[in-house]
Amino acid sequence: MEIIVSKNYDELSKKAASFVIDLIKEKPDSVLGLATGGTPEGMYAELVKAYEAGKISFKDVRTYNLDEYIGLDGNHEQSYRHFMNKQLFDHVDIDKNNTYVPNGKAEDLEAECENYEKILKDLSYADIQILGIGTNGHIGFNEPAEELILPTHVEPLVEATIEANSRYFDSKDEVPKEAISMGIGSILKAKHIILLASGPSKNEIMKYFNNDKISTNIPASLIKLHPNVTIIMDEEAAK
Ligand code: PGA
């Protein structure tokens, strides 16, 4: 596991983007596993800049996202499909048919999860999987628990996550209570995992990367089992 400590958020974003840019240059039809949340926003802005500067094209890139809120359709301002369009897809030459986000409005959620897992498999999983981390150690919406589910599944959100994500909604009541999330098993199938952590709120949880333990109560710790992981955090998260 490689740990990179960047001076600040701007440097973290540039560093994270550089991994993706190098990958796309080397393999134009890369598969990217993408994350939402505040942390990767700067990285997406850097990727848009690289595209605008003619350094990379997303023409043949395929992407899939970690998760989506149940009950929100892709046009909802807080849906993760909307987030991805706004942060990246609308600004680059990607074919949106090659971008996958679970359908939070699917009538049959079980079938949607199975179908999503099949899509990941057909894409042979991500060349790079980008992850954020919750203050409680969740990745995707895999919340701390005694048992974790390996494939894509429906996950109830815990109070800490609802509270943390309420900043994007008018009120806490509007935050969906469930999501479709890739499971830990699907995440670990990526060829390279890059986890990003920024700011003092991540300080406490990042301490867990200083030891040689894993725990399902800190789902992110399971990435220690993966042979190719890069953690990029800024000084505030690393303190
Ligand atoms: P954040 O969310 O990037 O907005 O901090 C991370 C997460 O909850 O996974």
Side-chain angles (χ1 to χ4, degrees):
M1 183 159 72
E2 182 190 20
I3 297 185
I4 299 170
V5 178
S6 300
K7 210 165 62 231
N8 52 38
Y9 179 68
D10 188 47
E11 234 185 52
L12 172 152
S13 301
K14 289 195 166 91
K15 188 75 205 169
S18 73
F19 279 98
V20 177
I21 291 166
D22 289 350
L23 172 74
I24 295 176
K25 280 184 183 161
E26 192 188 306
K27 186 180 172 200
D29 62 345
S30 301
V31 178
L32 304 177
L34 300 176
T36 53
T39 314
E41 285 186 11
M43 179 193 74
Y44 292 132
E46 291 297 326
L47 292 178
V48 172
K49 272 196 230 162
Y51 164 73
E52 284 171 348
K55 291 185 189 151
I56 46 168
S57 164
F58 288 79
K59 193 167 59 67
D60 298 318
V61 169
R62 283 86 42 85
T63 71
Y64 57 73
N65 266 74
L66 282 167
D67 43 25
E68 179 61 285
Y69 287 119
I70 289 175
L72 304 192
D73 79 35
N75 294 319
H76 190 287
E77 281 224 337
Q78 295 311 331
S79 72
Y80 289 161
R81 161 56 73 183
H82 182 80
F83 175 101
M84 287 313 305
N85 288 347
K86 208 174 59 172
Q87 297 290 326
L88 181 65
F89 302 154
D90 284 346
H91 310 290
V92 298
D93 60 347
I94 201 160
D95 177 351
K96 280 197 189 146
N97 291 318
N98 290 332
T99 68
Y100 300 94
V101 181
N103 175 9
K105 288 287 264 184
E107 268 180 33
D108 184 341
L109 292 169
E110 287 307 312
E112 175 64 16
C113 293
E114 267 176 42
N115 182 46
Y116 201 69
E117 195 63 36
K118 184 169 178 309
I119 291 169
L120 309 186
K121 190 168 178 220
D122 289 347
L123 290 169
S124 301
Y125 300 94
D127 293 296
I128 286 181
Q129 173 70 60
I130 301 293
L131 297 176
I133 180 168
T135 52
N136 66 355
H138 75 201
I139 46 176
F141 275 120
N142 295 279
E143 302 285 15
E146 200 162 308
E147 292 185 314
L148 299 176
I149 300 171
L150 294 175
T152 303
H153 60 281
V154 171
E155 179 95 14
L157 310 193
V158 299
E159 191 55 31
T161 300
I162 293 172
E163 184 66 46
N165 291 7
S166 66
R167 68 189 194 274
Y168 295 113
F169 292 81
D170 288 338
S171 77
K172 204 171 125 184
D173 292 342
E174 285 178 33
V175 184
K177 305 290 179 283
E178 287 184 312
I180 295 177
S181 179
M182 279 169 59
I184 294 290
S186 3
I187 291 171
L188 289 178
K189 287 196 175 100
K191 292 162 192 80
H192 182 192
I193 291 176
I194 300 180
L195 183 141
L196 309 177
S198 166
S201 69
K202 302 295 166 67
N203 193 256
E204 199 54 38
I205 194 70
M206 293 314 287
K207 284 185 191 159
Y208 205 79
F209 286 93
N210 275 336
N211 67 37
D212 290 330
K213 297 175 184 171
I214 55 166
S215 167
T216 58
N217 283 312
I218 301 178
S221 70
L222 295 183
I223 68 170
K224 293 182 189 179
L225 297 170
H226 192 281
N228 189 11
V229 173
T230 305
I231 293 179
I232 311 174
M233 51 184 158
D234 57 18
E235 282 179 2
E236 284 189 327
K239 240 178 228 161

